[in-house]
Amino acid sequence: MSTIKPPQAPPSWSHSAEDIVRLTKEALAKDKALLDQIAALPPKECNFSSLPMALSDAEFSVVIGPLSFYKNVSPSKELRDASNEAEALVRDYNVDASMRLDVFRAKQHAEANIKASGRKLSPEEERLVEKSLLDGKRAGLALPEKERTELMQLQKDLSQTCLEFSKNFNEEKGVITFTLEELKGVPPDVISGFTKRTVDGKDLYDVTHKTPDIVPIFKYAENPDTRQRAYDSYESRLEINEPLLTKVLDLRRRIAKLLEYQTWADYVTEVKMVKTAKNVEEFLADLEQKLRPVGLLDRERLLALKKEEHEKKGLAFDGEFYLWDYRYYDRIYIERTLDLDDALVKEYFPVTVVVPTILEIYQNLLGVKFEEIKGETWHPEVQQFAVWRDNAKTEDDFVGYCYLDLFPRESKYSHAAVWSLLPGYDRADGKRRYPLAAMVANLAKPTPEKPALMRHDDVVTFFHEMGHVFHGLLSRTTFARFHGTRVARDFVEAPSQMLENWCWEPRVLEKMSSHYQRKEPLSKELIEKIIKSRYVNIGLFYLRQLFFGKFDIKVHTDKDASDYTALWNGLRESVSLVKGGKLTPGQATFGHITGGYDAGYYGYMYSLVFAADMYATVFKKDPLDPKLGQKYTECILRPGGSREETDSLKEFLGRPPNSDAFLNALFGSTGKVGPPSSL
């Protein structure tokens, strides 16, 4: 492959702050000129080929995608600020463009002319026309001019407020300070990675809110006061976002009312698989009813452990199970019942082994090859790959580019996610535009004592996110609008959730493990214990997910504002069965609510139904079979959003999806919870 040159060069990452803003403004001006041209067409000349908006949207994305990405990853504040400024310009422009009645009328004329001409469109072309017209309705173009003007301003306010909310995540730099005594129980290799300073002769350790720093406090700190302080700090780290979220929810209520939807949730779910907010509420209520008895048993077991430990250590026991108790006693329970030590397991997952092995597994399963290349990136730690079909012989076998940015640093996006920076689509000249997917994570860095090691749940997360990468790379659609992960939001997680199952398969666990010192894989005994741990305390785990989903759907169906801090804390206690301490503005850390999952968090559980069905029905018999990987690519990945998601599932499964596998995994029995009747 190294002898074949990719038909498309990777993007440049050497922009200055001035370049970012200038190139964004040029792209906006070019797009506006095209829309002006379309709007000026006489009605009779409007047809599918004379309205090149699908291509202009794609070309616009090619310019804007990388420029907007700097704000999440660049070590330069100047570049991040410029990227945020560019994103603000784009968001405002998108509102203006979506509200252009003259362009919408050109689309309507085109649809009428196509029907009158008898021209037969391809299924993907038909879907594009249908979605474009629906966009106009949902943008409020049927409203009188006064309401349209008001709506446009509300949409701009909403967009900018969401951008500010998200920006605060990346700029958050808070720490919480502990003494070595307060950190008792936290593994020494973790502590060695904290910033140490001496004040008045006493050693102090600054712990950031980044996952590799703060999570070990939750899991290992023996002192409950340490864990409580860590949780209070973590939940309050984005207090600055509290009034922003209140404003976002108010704007959404006003927009939904103008658009004549009952609630914002009804507006959002109209284009999802679930179809209505009522179906979401019923799905969550049904699942909660089944999970609550399981969660209560989990809580009872962990509370007994807490009582035993407090009595042994002479600590007061008030009979309550707190937020800061869950991860700690969940770990102890697993260690005791399965003799499974998370810190020991981590020693078998050095980053330098796991990452290339996971890439190898995906390559063999999906018939592709990663070729590391050296070129411009936004940071020296970033790995860059050209991706090819297996046994590539010509440039036509090129798939796209992949970037991996795996380690934490200041002002970088603080969780794990994938950005489809460039879409794939057919260009006007008949050639192909190839995709680029970037995975951003925050794996633990090497410490003075040990190399970079991954917990097993880090391995699961990495496998999951690489699933999104391949959805973006292996999709093959005519139009960028439908490429890769541009599917219904309540389906988008299903392919990656399905792929998490590989991390619980004995063959795969053995293949991707190698002790950082002894270079030997996990033993069969350890593998068996890891697999058994998968559904331990699963009731409490999923009730926590339900809490997020219920908060999200409630604030987007309520007709009036409320005290969201009180709601967050009260709902968490009633749904997830853990008690809080002082009221903390945890809702201000709920990034999903402004990041595209508004009235959509239920989708993480909703899509699990599809994920479990796909794995049990097709892959369980042989998860590493390339023939099954090819079927998965052809039925699920390649179509992207170019057809209804249920059609892709039916082709892959050989039947309509059902919830049997999901319920069997959780409860060992079947029932009626699952996708509502809209399926």
Side-chain angles (χ1 to χ4, degrees), residues 124-194:
E124 190 172 340
E125 288 172 336
E126 286 182 359
R127 187 170 177 82
L128 183 68
V129 171
E130 173 196 330
K131 294 289 185 183
S132 296
L133 291 170
L134 180 60
D135 288 345
K137 169 185 172 289
R138 289 171 54 77
L141 294 180
L143 295 173
E145 184 177 357
K146 180 185 174 186
E147 282 79 359
R148 286 202 313 274
T149 303
E150 181 184 354
L151 179 62
M152 185 183 297
Q153 189 56 53
L154 290 174
Q155 292 279 25
K156 287 183 177 182
D157 289 350
L158 174 61
S159 184
Q160 297 305 320
T161 309
C162 287
L163 179 61
E164 186 179 351
F165 188 97
S166 300
K167 177 184 176 183
N168 290 333
F169 276 80
N170 297 340
E171 298 299 323
E172 189 272 318
K173 297 182 179 67
V175 296
I176 180 168
T177 303
F178 297 104
T179 64
L180 190 60
E181 183 183 1
E182 290 170 328
L183 293 173
K184 183 181 179 184
V186 179
D189 65 306
V190 174
I191 294 175
S192 70
F194 297 154

Side-chain angles (χ1 to χ4, degrees), residues 222-290:
E222 294 180 12
N223 186 335
D225 291 337
T226 297
R227 299 196 306 273
Q228 180 178 0
R229 281 182 54 216
Y231 260 107
D232 285 348
S233 177
Y234 189 68
E235 286 276 299
S236 303
R237 72 190 188 278
L238 286 164
E239 194 168 4
I240 189 174
N241 277 346
E242 188 178 1
L244 295 179
L245 181 60
T246 300
K247 181 179 178 181
V248 163
L249 296 173
D250 177 63
L251 287 167
R252 286 174 178 164
R253 279 190 296 271
R254 292 166 66 186
I255 290 169
K257 186 175 181 180
L258 266 178
L259 290 171
E260 298 180 347
Y261 286 88
Q262 282 290 103
T263 67
W264 180 261
D266 287 295
Y267 168 70
V268 169
T269 55
E270 179 184 36
V271 292
K272 303 279 186 70
M273 294 182 77
V274 78
K275 302 305 181 192
T276 69
K278 183 173 183 290
N279 282 341
V280 174
E281 291 171 325
E282 289 177 356
F283 171 73
L284 294 176
D286 198 4
L287 193 52
E288 183 180 14
Q289 184 183 9
K290 285 182 165 60

Side-chain angles (χ1 to χ4, degrees), residues 577-592:
L577 306 179
V578 293
K579 196 175 181 65
K582 67 177 185 180
L583 294 186
T584 51
Q587 76 278 9
T589 70
F590 195 12
H592 292 78

Side-chain angles (χ1 to χ4, degrees), residues 404-576:
L404 299 180
D405 185 353
L406 301 180
F407 299 104
R409 57 182 179 269
E410 191 175 276
S411 300
K412 175 188 164 184
Y413 179 80
S414 58
H415 296 288
V418 170
W419 277 262
S420 294
L421 295 182
L422 301 179
Y425 60 92
D426 290 346
R427 299 186 336 196
D429 60 8
K431 294 183 179 180
R432 186 75 184 165
R433 162 62 75 170
Y434 296 93
L436 184 158
M439 176 181 166
V440 176
N442 284 272
L443 304 177
K445 283 191 169 186
T447 69
E449 297 166 2
K450 291 181 180 178
L453 301 173
M454 299 170 72
R455 295 170 296 143
H456 181 255
D457 55 355
D458 293 328
V459 176
V460 175
T461 298
F462 188 86
F463 222 99
H464 174 106
E465 297 300 339
M466 284 306 298
H468 289 310
V469 167
F470 281 100
H471 202 168
L473 290 175
L474 294 178
S475 176
R476 186 90 180 189
T477 58
T478 302
F479 302 111
R481 172 166 187 152
F482 302 127
H483 179 81
T485 54
R486 298 177 184 192
V487 296
R489 274 283 187 170
D490 46 7
F491 179 74
V492 71
E493 297 295 335
S496 286
Q497 288 170 331
M498 181 198 71
L499 289 158
E500 291 179 18
N501 287 284
W502 274 247
C503 300
W504 305 94
E505 285 289 343
R507 272 195 299 159
V508 179
L509 283 168
E510 184 177 1
K511 185 178 178 68
M512 64 186 177
S513 60
S514 176
H515 192 276
Y516 79 97
Q517 289 176 319
R518 300 192 298 273
K519 313 301 181 190
E520 59 189 27
L522 287 162
S523 66
K524 289 183 178 178
E525 292 75 20
L526 259 180
I527 288 173
E528 186 178 339
K529 290 173 183 177
I530 290 170
I531 293 169
K532 283 182 178 177
S533 74
R534 183 174 188 178
Y535 294 110
V536 170
N537 298 323
I538 198 68
L540 285 177
F541 175 84
Y542 277 118
L543 283 172
R544 180 174 178 268
Q545 292 297 303
L546 270 175
F547 151 62
F548 292 135
K550 292 193 78 169
F551 177 86
D552 172 42
I553 204 67
K554 178 166 177 55
V555 298
H556 287 116
T557 51
D558 281 353
K559 299 294 180 70
D560 300 299
S562 63
D563 181 338
Y564 295 117
T565 297
L567 176 64
W568 176 270
N569 287 268
L571 201 59
R572 180 176 58 201
E573 185 171 337
S574 65
V575 175
S576 56

